[in-house]
Amino acid sequence: MISDLHLDHKKILEFCPNRVGTSLEEHNEWLVSQWNSVVKKRVQVYVLGDVAFSQESLDKYLSRMIGIKHMVRGNHDKFDTALYLKYFKNVYGLVKKRGFWMSHAPIHPQELRGKRNIHGHVHNNSVSRWNPAINNWELDPNYINACVDACNGIPICLARIVTGKQIGRAHV
């Protein structure tokens, strides 16, 4: 899973300074490279929203990203579903898979219904909760941030999340 590619988003490097690239073209190429460094031809990849800001970027960049792609729509995904279906096997609003909800934005805690939530939308932020035992905020283990900004542009593996072997600050 990965989210918030923001291909061809003119201000993404300004809004998210931790992203790689000195130009939008360089950033987009970096995303293709990061993706293809871990994804193989038959791997299922869920893009959890905010894919691209231009139709041209879908063809120029997304089409070069390896794997069988599925999409969960995000708040910036404005094109017709028919266009997305040229690049994605499926387009969803919300997906339930292996005990997880996959969504663009984090799901309200009361709607988790015993499942965890893999999401995007929050970029470098992560969902926190108050822990009275330590009298401080901590990352909420019910939420896994799959944003490009939190996973260095590398899609995260569901099997590694399930087994607790996913590493990095975005993967609790």
Side-chain angles (χ1 to χ4, degrees):
M1 280 80 45
I2 194 163
S3 77
D4 297 274
L5 298 173
H6 285 256
L7 295 166
D8 272 355
H9 180 191
K10 291 177 176 45
K11 295 204 174 215
I12 195 63
L13 293 172
E14 178 185 330
F15 295 152
C16 301
N18 292 336
R19 292 202 181 206
V20 172
T22 57
S23 69
L24 193 52
E25 173 83 16
E26 190 176 305
H27 171 262
N28 293 341
E29 289 294 342
W30 172 77
L31 288 171
V32 173
S33 175
Q34 292 293 89
W35 176 298
N36 289 342
S37 73
V38 297
V39 177
K40 304 300 178 215
K41 186 177 180 180
R42 291 186 176 94
V43 170
Q44 308 274 330
V45 181
Y46 287 80
V47 182
L48 305 180
D50 290 2
V51 177
F53 280 61
S54 73
Q55 293 182 28
E56 295 78 23
S57 64
L58 292 169
D59 195 47
K60 186 173 181 180
Y61 303 108
L62 190 68
S63 66
R64 294 174 27 222
M65 294 176 172
I66 301 168
I68 301 164
K69 296 178 277 295
H70 305 270
M71 176 184 182
V72 175
R73 290 184 84 114
N75 57 300
H76 290 295
D77 297 316
K78 305 294 186 191
F79 304 120
D80 289 338
T81 301
L83 176 65
Y84 292 121
L85 286 171
K86 292 178 183 178
Y87 305 93
F88 294 96
K89 183 175 180 180
N90 299 294
V91 176
Y92 303 101
L94 180 68
V95 175
K96 183 171 64 170
K97 187 170 182 76
R98 292 185 66 186
F100 291 88
W101 292 109
M102 292 188 280
S103 61
H104 175 61
I107 295 174
H108 190 279
Q110 291 179 339
E111 297 301 322
L112 290 175
R113 298 182 185 138
K115 294 174 181 44
R116 295 170 69 199
N117 180 208
I118 304 168
H119 63 85
H121 188 66
V122 296
H123 293 274
N124 256 340
N125 300 307
S126 291
V127 178
S128 298
R129 66 179 181 188
W130 181 256
N131 182 340
I134 61 172
N135 198 33
N136 207 343
W137 292 93
E138 65 182 5
L139 291 177
D140 189 328
N142 291 312
Y143 295 89
I144 296 98
N145 182 353
C147 289
V148 162
D149 312 278
C151 64
N152 199 31
I154 297 173
I156 59 175
C157 177
L158 182 58
R160 294 194 71 188
I161 294 171
V162 169
T163 61
K165 293 181 181 174
Q166 187 66 41
I167 57 173
R169 73 172 223 270
H171 318 296
V172 293

